[in-house]
Every structure is written in C-alpha cells, then in structure tokens.
Amino acid sequence: MYSDRLLKMLKEDISSISFHHKNEMVEIISNSVRESGILFLPQEKNSMRLLDPEDILYVTELKRGKVNIHTLTSEIPFNNSAYNLLEYLVEKNKSFCYLNRGYVVNQAKIMKFNSYFRRIYFANDREVTVTGEAIKILIKALGKEKDVHNESYIGKFEY
C-alpha cells in the first residue's frame, strides 16, 4: 500500500521533507485511511492512532465527551469528539449498535449474552454488564440463540 511507504518515510527522516511534500503525504494518507474505513484517533501530544473498527468490541462513554474504546487487547481512552466517533461507528458499520447512552457494541464480536444477569460475553473472557433495556435491544438484534440465560452447569433446561 502506498500509504505504508509514506508512513515509513515520515518515520525515517521527516526533517528533510519539504512542507509541500509533507502536506501531500498527509493528504494521501488521510484519503487512503478514509477509503479503508480505518479510524484516525487523535491522541495526546499531537499523535495519531490508527484503529480498524473491526478490532473494537465495545465503546463506553464515561462522561460527556470522554469514551473508552475496548478491543481484545487494550482499552483506548478517547477524549476528542466522542459523540462523532459513536455516530460514525453506528452509521458506517452496520455491526455496531447503541445499547443505551453509555454503550456502543460491535454485534459481530458478541459470543453470547445472558439476559437474566444482563451480561454480554466477548472473546477472551471479556464481559460487560448492561441494562435490561440494552438486553432487549440485543435480543431483537441477535435473536434468542445467543442468550444463555437458560443454561446451567448441568446443561440447558426448559421452563
């Protein structure tokens, strides 16, 4: 990919590149990233982080304007235009949905959920507790097949 080569050049010696070429590189990289759907996340100290939305398990909004992005391997704090990030995820990627004001989940990453205990289970034993309304949304979106509320340590039972 052309943008990978440009990033490598930038890392090697950015001081020798003219201002015009730096702007060209940034434009090419941002267009490439925009087309691929990868998120450009501004971080502290004027740095950027690239994140593939498919790596996201869920996003929690701690307080207005501050969210944490949870992946299988890390938790990424994000303090810049949190609402825009949540809206972008839900609009651009159909596997993301709002569960309530505080959670946006990647439905494709949900292994199972328990409607009785109101828990959602992801890979690597990651789990999150949500509200009853959020569970109702999950039942509509994923169906009852992924609901494990009727399983016990001795197996499934009917009631």
Side-chain angles (χ1 to χ4, degrees):
M1 183 182 239
Y2 189 62
S3 59
D4 293 335
R5 283 193 359 229
L6 291 175
L7 283 172
K8 185 178 179 185
M9 286 173 38
L10 285 172
K11 287 180 182 177
E12 288 174 358
D13 190 16
I14 196 165
S15 61
S16 65
I17 300 172
S18 72
F19 182 76
H20 174 73
H21 284 98
K22 287 178 190 175
N23 283 339
E24 273 184 14
M25 287 180 175
V26 168
E27 183 70 27
I28 291 168
I29 291 168
S30 65
N31 286 340
S32 176
V33 167
R34 195 175 307 121
E35 289 169 8
S36 69
I38 292 177
L39 298 172
F40 242 153
L41 300 176
Q43 300 290 296
E44 294 177 356
K45 299 179 184 175
N46 292 329
S47 64
M48 297 294 276
R49 180 174 181 154
L50 299 177
L51 181 64
D52 185 354
E54 292 301 315
D55 294 339
I56 298 173
L57 299 177
Y58 61 97
V59 179
T60 57
E61 186 174 17
L62 304 172
K63 57 183 175 178
R64 198 146 184 83
K66 287 189 166 199
V67 298
N68 278 347
I69 301 169
H70 300 265
T71 67
L72 273 177
T73 56
S74 64
E75 184 176 318
I76 305 163
F78 183 69
N79 301 328
N80 190 348
S81 63
Y83 181 75
N84 291 341
L85 172 68
L86 298 177
E87 285 294 312
Y88 176 82
L89 287 173
V90 171
E91 287 177 12
K92 295 290 183 185
N93 194 327
K94 297 301 178 201
S95 65
F96 283 92
C97 76
Y98 277 108
L99 290 185
N100 55 19
R101 194 176 143 259
Y103 284 97
V104 171
V105 295
N106 186 346
Q107 297 173 52
K109 299 294 182 177
I110 296 174
M111 305 303 284
K112 58 186 177 181
F113 63 94
N114 188 316
S115 59
Y116 182 76
F117 292 113
R118 299 187 330 250
R119 289 194 182 115
I120 301 172
Y121 302 96
F122 301 95
N124 290 358
D125 297 324
R126 300 278 305 259
E127 67 179 69
V128 64
T129 303
V130 295
T131 64
E133 288 300 315
I135 289 295
K136 289 178 185 176
I137 293 169
L138 278 181
I139 290 172
K140 284 182 183 176
L142 301 176
K144 293 184 179 182
E145 296 80 37
K146 288 194 175 189
D147 190 359
V148 294
H149 80 282
N150 62 349
E151 292 183 14
S152 70
Y153 62 92
I154 55 175
K156 286 191 170 198
F157 63 90
E158 299 292 327
Y159 49 107

